[in-house]
Amino acid sequence: MSNPTVLTTRNLTAGYGGHPAINDISVELRSDEVLCLIGHNGAGKSTLLKCLFGLLTPEAGTVTIDGKETTAESARKITDLGVAMVPEGRGVFPSLTVREIFSLGMHAVGIPRKEQGERVDWVLDILPAIKEFMNRPAGTLSGGQQQMVSIGRALLSRPRILLMDEPSIGLAPKLFQDLLAPIRALQQRDGLSILLVEQNVREALKISDRAVVMKSGMMIWEGLPAELEDNERLMELY
Ligand code: ATP
């Protein structure tokens, strides 16, 4: 039997200025799984994530988290339900140190000051490499280090559901597992549910339990990563 669903969309349609970017999307994220979402540039992956995290109001359809409809809720409300997002692009302020970025992040989601030290220690246990650059301005860090900071910041709220929008963008494929293996380990240890948008398809499928493919705003395929090992099948879809 499959795991229960933690996040569902039903017939979700959304876009910009009256032009739909996603059309009639119905997808389920189950508990304790990494669901990999792949598709070409412009397929609508980021638009879907924005709707899930309350950054864009859909034109039609619903989003449900743990059985509660959240379609028109704000990002802050959705964070309170245990969801966090690693946005597309590194999203770190270049002039702030990593420590300052973490402080701001915790302030934004309302983590009490007395719990903040413990939260940072927890994140540094998962991503120990960050310890070496905690006091450096983010703008002086490498792309991979900045991505790690962006993931670390999302983890500070101790989410049960993590939405990640191309966390490995701009990195050499060989750095993918350095960045994502600790997150897969955390997910398996603590039972997180992760929706992972990736262009780095081969590497992403290695750490995913299921996959969905989007094309031109539509969901065109759903299945197991092993079914995409066949290159022809993948090329046909992607
Ligand atoms: P990528 O892999 O390049 O990030 P994506 O699959 O995430 O692409 P989206 O960013 O969701 O795709 O874009 C879907 C469509 O919506 C594209 O045609 C894009 O041009 C359009 N779009 C995205 N953001 C906006 C915006 N802010 N205003 C207008 N159109 C937008």
Side-chain angles (χ1 to χ4, degrees):
M1 214 176 81
S2 57
N3 293 347
T5 300
V6 291
L7 187 156
T8 311
T9 74
R10 287 275 172 261
N11 309 107
L12 206 66
T13 296
Y16 310 90
H19 301 282
I22 58 170
N23 245 308
D24 207 28
I25 300 285
S26 296
V27 66
E28 289 183 349
L29 176 67
R30 300 175 189 157
S31 74
D32 304 356
E33 77 169 354
V34 176
L35 176 63
C36 186
L37 170 56
I38 59 182
H40 277 298
N41 291 119
K45 307 178 298 296
S46 299
T47 303
L48 175 61
L49 255 54
K50 284 185 213 160
C51 290
L52 301 180
F53 199 55
L55 300 173
L56 183 66
T57 305
E59 284 150 28
T62 56
V63 180
T64 306
I65 295 172
D66 289 331
K68 180 184 183 317
E69 193 183 321
T70 60
T71 315
E73 296 285 22
S74 65
R76 179 57 208 269
K77 282 254 174 66
I78 291 173
T79 303
D80 288 346
L81 291 173
V83 184
M85 175 147 139
V86 178
E88 190 174 19
R90 281 149 201 162
V92 293
F93 302 103
S95 60
L96 297 184
T97 66
V98 176
R99 194 175 293 283
E100 288 166 335
I101 289 168
F102 280 7
S103 293
L104 268 181
M106 288 187 287
H107 179 73
V109 297
I111 296 168
R113 190 170 282 276
K114 61 179 188 340
E115 287 173 30
Q116 293 188 359
E118 204 179 292
R119 290 295 175 107
V120 173
D121 289 345
W122 182 76
V123 167
L124 294 179
D125 263 357
I126 299 159
L127 297 167
I130 295 180
K131 286 181 197 158
E132 283 165 34
F133 43 82
M134 271 306 270
N135 295 315
R136 275 176 53 191
T140 69
L141 303 176
S142 72
Q145 289 168 332
Q146 291 186 26
Q147 294 290 35
M148 207 179 279
V149 171
S150 185
I151 295 172
R153 182 182 49 187
L155 291 177
L156 285 165
S157 64
R158 296 204 68 158
R160 292 174 307 104
I161 300 174
L162 185 60
L163 311 173
M164 303 178 94
D165 198 348
E166 300 192 32
S168 80
I169 199 163
L171 300 185
K174 66 181 169 51
L175 293 179
F176 182 99
Q177 298 301 342
D178 289 350
L179 186 70
L180 272 307
I183 306 306
R184 175 61 157 171
L186 170 73
Q187 180 267 329
Q188 290 182 320
R189 190 191 74 193
D190 288 7
L192 239 64
S193 307
I194 299 183
L195 179 53
L196 173 65
V197 170
E198 264 298 337
Q199 298 271 4
N200 220 331
V201 178
R202 292 261 167 241
E203 291 303 315
L205 290 175
K206 288 182 197 162
I207 60 158
S208 298
D209 301 298
R210 288 193 308 128
V212 289
V213 180
M214 282 180 75
K215 191 173 194 172
S216 308
M218 320 252 244
M219 199 72 83
I220 59 161
W221 187 86
E222 181 174 354
L224 298 176
E227 296 171 60
L228 294 177
E229 268 166 19
D230 169 5
N231 228 359
E232 259 178 49
R233 181 84 183 108
L234 186 60
M235 296 311 277
E236 203 178 280
L237 290 165
Y238 181 63

